[in-house]
Amino acid sequence: MKTFTTIAAVSILTVAGWATSVPATSPLMPPLGLQAAAACPKPAAPAKRAWKPGPAGQAEYKDFTAITAAKDNATKAQLAAAFVQKHPDSAYKDDGLQLEMAAQAADPALRAQAVQTAEQLLKSPTAEASQLLPAYTIIAYLDPTLVQPNDPNMAAKMATLEEAATCGQQLLASAPATSQGQYGPILTKALGFAQLNSKQYAAAITTLSKATQESPKDPLPYYWRGIAEVTQAVPDYNAGIFDLAKASVLAPQTAAFKSYLTTVYTSYHGATDGLDTVITTATSNNAPPAGFKILSKVDVENATNMAAYQKAVEAAKNTPPPEGSFPGLEWRLKRAEYANAEWAKVKGTGVELDGVVTEVAAKSVDIAVGAKAGAVTPTADVHLIIAADWLKRPKVGDEVTVDGIIESYKPNPPDPNLPFLLTLDKGVVKGYTPAMGAVVPQAPKK
């Protein structure tokens, strides 16, 4: 009798099929804690199998070959389950479980049973590595699509999923390269999903980052990593929103991806403006480019306030102070469009100003108009040439009142960005020089 030894247990596990489906788990559901996983079962050593002798073996063989001859997966699954129940001591019982699991996994209506059959196969003490690895992969592939929001058994299911992914990866390390390429991305992605739903956000981000490298066209690792990034204790909204956008770009037909992206973006940014730019960036990049940043609501408010302030400053810069005031005089003389007309009006006229002395010389004094004594030494904006010798000299920092005739100014030509200095001639410093026309007492001759 011919022995059935080759079973394509996970031939139906096309990555594209999973990539375009959305797991029933809500990304907003509160993940539950993960139970401690049991040690991985040790695979049995490969053994040479044979059918039972005599009529019992013939019936066993007939029932087994009927499974492989069935035309549809539902029938195959039913016949395989009957074989396992009818021949519990068959050397091919594990093969029967593997056939049952594969047929159930290929039928969307039987996928929950496929996970149960995989778990049964994992408990078999005679199961070999070539049978355990597909069983782990079936669980890793199907569980994320079967779990429901607020499932009371969520913690147990995530523990089972993490165990399946972890144990599967251990077996995969010594499997052929073709198996590693086929099963590896499925196991990695399932591990990240289990970590996400058990609040192991840092671990989930690390695992799902590997998944994005293994399957860069699969939206789910980006989607799940994005959820982890915006849900962790210190959210990374730039990375998380980018990943959610990448998922929506890779699976535009999946409305849930775009909906959740919009919810998170609006909550963080305050509105949907700029979201199209994020999506465009995610279309041409697998990771946020250098300098990628999404403004938070606080950032937007601060930017708005700063723009209003800058506008007010700019308006103030372009709004002349009142004519007849020293600030108005300075403002107009520093601007080419006003300077000629202003100078024609003020040149040769007399002014009286208050300020603080910044420098004293034999025939002049510099003052900072409007400054008060005791302040940090200000910059002078008036140079006064006195009309008569000092009665007494003021000191730097003294508050004084001066009179003088406007004689010249700097900068000339006008420049609003350079320091201003107005020169007054025929100056009087009240209390320090004689008043105009007063007689200055002469020292007695010797």
Side-chain angles (χ1 to χ4, degrees):
M1 291 180 287
K2 183 177 180 180
T3 302
F4 186 89
T5 56
T6 304
I7 303 172
V10 289
S11 60
I12 48 80
L13 301 185
T14 56
V15 174
W18 198 19
T20 55
S21 65
V22 182
T25 303
S26 165
L28 300 178
M29 65 178 290
L32 302 177
L34 184 67
Q35 296 177 343
C40 300
K42 184 177 181 180
K48 186 176 181 179
R49 298 189 288 279
W51 305 104
K52 295 175 185 175
Q58 292 176 355
E60 182 184 12
Y61 178 75
K62 179 181 178 181
D63 291 341
F64 190 89
T65 54
I67 303 171
T68 62
K71 300 300 184 183
D72 62 90
N73 289 308
T75 302
K76 284 184 179 182
Q78 185 177 15
L79 292 173
F83 174 84
V84 171
Q85 186 174 8
K86 184 177 178 180
H87 307 285
D89 57 348
S90 171
Y92 296 93
K93 176 185 175 182
D94 293 337
D95 295 307
L97 287 171
Q98 193 173 2
L99 282 170
E100 180 184 2
M101 176 183 69
Q104 290 167 333
D107 187 332
L110 301 176
R111 290 187 172 179
Q113 290 93 311
V115 172
Q116 295 173 359
T117 305
E119 292 173 351
Q120 185 180 354
L121 181 57
L122 292 175
K123 295 175 183 176
S124 173
T126 57
E128 300 173 6
S130 61
Q131 296 166 328
L132 294 177
L133 182 56
Y136 288 133
T137 308
I138 288 286
I139 294 172
Y141 180 83
L142 294 180
D143 253 2
T145 69
L146 296 171
V147 67
Q148 297 295 318
N150 303 317
D151 189 327
N153 296 317
M154 177 66 75
K157 289 183 178 180
M158 290 301 101
T160 298
L161 181 59
E162 182 165 358
E163 181 182 341
T166 302
C167 294
Q169 287 176 331
Q170 289 182 17
L171 281 180
L172 195 61
S174 57
T178 53
S179 295
Q180 293 182 8
Q182 184 181 12
Y183 302 151
I186 297 172
L187 296 169
T188 301
K189 192 160 59 171
L191 178 59
F193 181 80
Q195 291 167 334
L196 169 64
N197 282 279
S198 59
K199 296 186 179 181
Q200 301 176 70
Y201 298 123
I205 291 169
T206 299
T207 302
L208 293 168
S209 295
K210 180 182 178 184
T212 63
Q213 295 167 3
E214 293 176 341
S215 304
K217 299 298 183 183
D218 185 346
L220 282 176
Y222 291 101
Y223 183 62
W224 293 337
R225 184 173 68 177
I227 294 171
E229 287 162 337
V230 302
T231 309
Q232 60 186 333
V234 181
D236 185 347
Y237 285 101
N238 287 306
I241 290 173
F242 178 90
D243 280 341
L244 295 174
K246 187 66 179 180
S248 71
V249 167
L250 291 172
Q253 74 282 7
T254 305
F257 290 170
K258 182 63 178 294
S259 175
Y260 188 57
L261 164 65
T262 303
T263 297
V264 174
Y265 183 88
T266 304
S267 175
Y268 178 66
H269 179 68
T272 57
D273 62 289
L275 180 55
D276 288 344
T277 301
V278 174
I279 292 173
T280 299
T281 303
T283 301
S284 53
N285 296 275
N286 287 340
F292 178 81
K293 178 175 174 58
I294 300 167
L295 296 180
S296 68
K297 286 187 285 190
V298 173
D299 293 332
V300 172
E301 183 179 354
N302 289 341
T304 301
N305 292 341
M306 180 56 69
Y309 170 76
Q310 293 293 352
K311 184 177 180 180
V313 168
E314 207 51 40
K317 285 171 58 178
N318 295 312
T319 301
E323 287 192 80
S325 67
F326 184 79
L329 173 70
E330 178 181 354
W331 191 93
R332 289 169 175 82
L333 290 179
K334 288 176 70 173
R335 286 161 175 78
E337 65 270 32
Y338 295 97
N340 288 339
E342 183 72 7
W343 187 241
K345 287 192 298 183
V346 302
K347 185 175 190 288
T349 63
V351 292
E352 181 178 285
L353 302 169
D354 296 324
V356 168
V357 175
T358 63
E359 187 174 343
V360 182
K363 292 293 184 179
S364 66
V365 62
D366 291 350
I367 68 168
V369 176
K372 297 296 181 181
V376 176
T377 303
T379 301
D381 41 28
V382 166
H383 177 67
L384 179 76
I385 301 172
I386 59 177
D389 292 338
W390 296 107
L391 296 174
K392 62 177 179 178
R393 288 197 185 193
K395 299 187 296 295
V396 171
D398 286 346
E399 289 187 41
V400 295
T401 299
V402 301
D403 292 331
I405 306 300
I406 296 176
E407 191 269 336
S408 64
Y409 71 96
K410 297 177 181 179
N412 198 352
D415 187 336
N417 299 310
L418 294 178
F420 178 76
L421 185 66
L422 182 69
T423 297
L424 306 181
D425 198 5
K426 299 182 175 60
V428 173
V429 183
K430 293 184 178 181
Y432 294 91
T433 62
M436 291 294 292
V439 177
V440 179
Q442 299 293 319
K445 295 181 180 179
K446 294 183 179 180

